[in-house]
Amino acid sequence: MDKTIVKPYEDINRKIYAYTLPQVPDHDGYIKVGETTQETSERIRRQISTAGLYADFLFEKLAKKWDGTWFRDYELHRFFEQNGIERANFNNSAREWFYFNGYPHIAEELTDKFIQQDYSPLPLSEKISDYQLRKEQQDAVDATLEYYHSDNEEGEFLWNAKPRFGKTLSTYDFIRKINAKNVLIVTNRPAIANSWLDDFKEFISWQEPTYRFISETDALKNKAMSRKEFIDETGMKVDEEFTQINFISLQDLKGAEFAGGEHKKLKWVSEIHWNLLVIDEAHEGVDTSKTDKAFEKINRDFTLHLSGTPFKALADNKFNENQIYNWSYVDEQNAKENWDYSYGSNPYERLPTLNLFTYQ
């Protein structure tokens, strides 16, 4: 009798492994994290034996998430980078080495979090800070809160504030104050995405462990959580547990089919009831019929406009005086000159003196 067994597929036995090379000086602090379907010890031996090296083995884990899905090492590598772990570039090769600065347990902790589909950021450095808003920032938040809780039908507010006002951090404070669960940030300048993510990591994520920052813009590639990762982790239990802060570009929004564009993307934006829509750099590319149509498709409770030069919106009387908080260069210089030192050091002291000239 023919006892040949035909296997229609190959069993997956992929493992994630990690080791260091303590005798190689330029690898100090770096950990190799790779994958294999072989015996791990044999895989490591083949990698280093020709160089006469020995490895300090750290851990081995099945490359399988808690829900049963298999993953590849490059997916884990991306998660490392999202958490601020630097990838090595040894002669433009050996791209599986990551700098953990002498803390190998962090590599295993992050791997376990990824396997458990817990994509919350893990504080890895001293760059986490509490914050205290400056008076003008607190005034902006307070004015917006007062309007937000009023009976006004127009659920829109404008921060007409000079550059370097701190609109990003102040917006996060407003989000916390209103206990928003679904937040959408849209900008015509995707390059500013890093400032939103950096402030989130430094000031917010460690204080609000259920907050998630989600973006797939090119500027945040391999840095922010993807939409799929958010869904995998949370099961979309936003109202119950999690707050989602989504960052997208205005160009992508206008190009989406649901918003009048030609591309089948971002449909989920139209399916969520947003507690807050934030339009950053609100003076850029916003006042067009195509943009208006896109924003009309977004179901939301409140809209916060951020701009340093909202001249067209002001000229068109889009906002009344109760819907605007203003902070100009002149306001900042007055605050610098009139600071009451009984409150402590002057936060404006390092700012340059501004001279204004008029010509006839």
Side-chain angles (χ1 to χ4, degrees), residues 78-79 81-84 194 197-198 201 213 215 218-225:
R78 181 173 180 270
F79 183 61
E81 291 181 302
Q82 288 174 359
N83 279 270
N194 283 292
L197 180 58
D198 290 345
K201 287 183 174 180
F213 186 95
S215 182
D218 290 340
L220 295 178
K221 187 176 181 180
N222 295 332
K223 296 180 181 178
M225 176 181 284

Side-chain angles (χ1 to χ4, degrees), residues 60-304:
E60 171 191 285
K61 298 179 185 293
L62 199 63
K64 195 175 189 179
K65 296 182 182 179
W66 73 273
D67 65 355
T69 59
W70 294 89
F71 66 89
R72 303 298 302 271
D73 60 355
Y74 59 79
E75 297 175 78
L76 177 60
H77 296 162
R78 181 173 180 270
F79 183 61
F80 287 165
E81 291 181 302
Q82 288 174 359
N83 279 270
I85 304 301
E86 175 190 350
R87 186 195 293 260
N89 186 14
F90 297 129
N91 298 319
N92 294 316
S93 61
R95 300 289 290 160
E96 296 178 342
W97 288 86
F98 292 84
Y99 188 63
F100 285 91
N101 194 26
Y103 297 97
H105 66 281
I106 296 294
E108 187 165 10
E109 284 182 36
L110 281 174
T111 302
D112 287 339
K113 282 168 66 68
F114 185 79
I115 289 172
Q116 295 161 12
Q117 292 177 276
D118 174 7
Y119 301 126
S120 59
L122 183 67
L124 300 173
S125 70
E126 296 179 356
K127 195 175 181 182
I128 57 173
S129 309
D130 202 352
Y131 65 89
Q132 181 175 356
L133 298 181
R134 297 191 306 273
K135 182 180 183 303
E136 68 273 15
Q137 294 172 322
Q138 189 62 61
D139 288 346
V141 172
D142 289 345
T144 313
L145 281 171
E146 182 178 357
Y147 189 82
Y148 176 84
H149 291 298
S150 69
D151 295 328
N152 292 286
E153 294 182 0
E154 299 86 359
E156 298 189 71
F157 202 92
L158 167 66
W159 289 356
N160 173 23
K162 59 168 285 294
R164 310 296 296 176
F165 171 81
K167 292 186 281 287
T168 302
L169 181 57
S170 302
T171 299
Y172 280 132
D173 190 73
F174 179 69
I175 291 169
R176 297 177 73 189
K177 289 292 195 304
I178 65 174
N179 193 30
K181 291 294 185 180
N182 296 310
V183 179
L184 181 65
I185 303 169
V186 180
T187 182
N188 195 50
R189 195 186 298 178
I192 66 175
N194 283 292
S195 64
W196 282 97
L197 180 58
D198 290 345
D199 277 4
F200 178 79
K201 287 183 174 180
E202 181 173 353
F203 299 107
I204 305 301
S205 63
W206 66 276
Q207 300 193 74
E208 301 287 358
T210 61
Y211 280 34
R212 300 291 182 268
F213 186 95
I214 307 149
S215 182
E216 296 181 353
T217 60
D218 290 340
L220 295 178
K221 187 176 181 180
N222 295 332
K223 296 180 181 178
M225 176 181 284
S226 70
R227 188 75 195 160
K228 182 180 183 303
E229 288 169 339
F230 174 72
I231 293 172
D232 286 348
E233 180 192 15
T234 66
M236 288 301 291
K237 296 178 181 178
V238 177
D239 292 335
E240 302 172 25
E241 301 176 34
F242 297 93
T243 288
Q244 57 171 322
I245 300 173
N246 292 268
F247 184 98
I248 65 175
S249 73
L250 180 60
Q251 295 92 324
D252 283 344
L253 177 63
K254 290 193 293 186
E257 189 176 64
F258 83 88
E262 300 177 352
H263 303 286
K264 295 182 181 297
K265 60 182 179 180
L266 297 181
K267 190 173 186 298
W268 54 269
V269 172
S270 66
E271 297 170 344
I272 294 174
H273 183 93
W274 300 97
N275 303 120
L276 177 65
L277 168 65
V278 179
I279 305 176
D280 198 4
E281 303 296 341
H283 54 281
E284 295 186 357
V286 171
D287 293 314
T288 67
S289 58
K290 193 170 184 179
T291 303
D292 290 342
K293 182 177 180 180
F295 284 141
E296 286 173 1
K297 300 294 184 179
I298 298 176
N299 184 19
R300 78 271 195 182
D301 297 325
F302 197 79
T303 305
L304 178 60

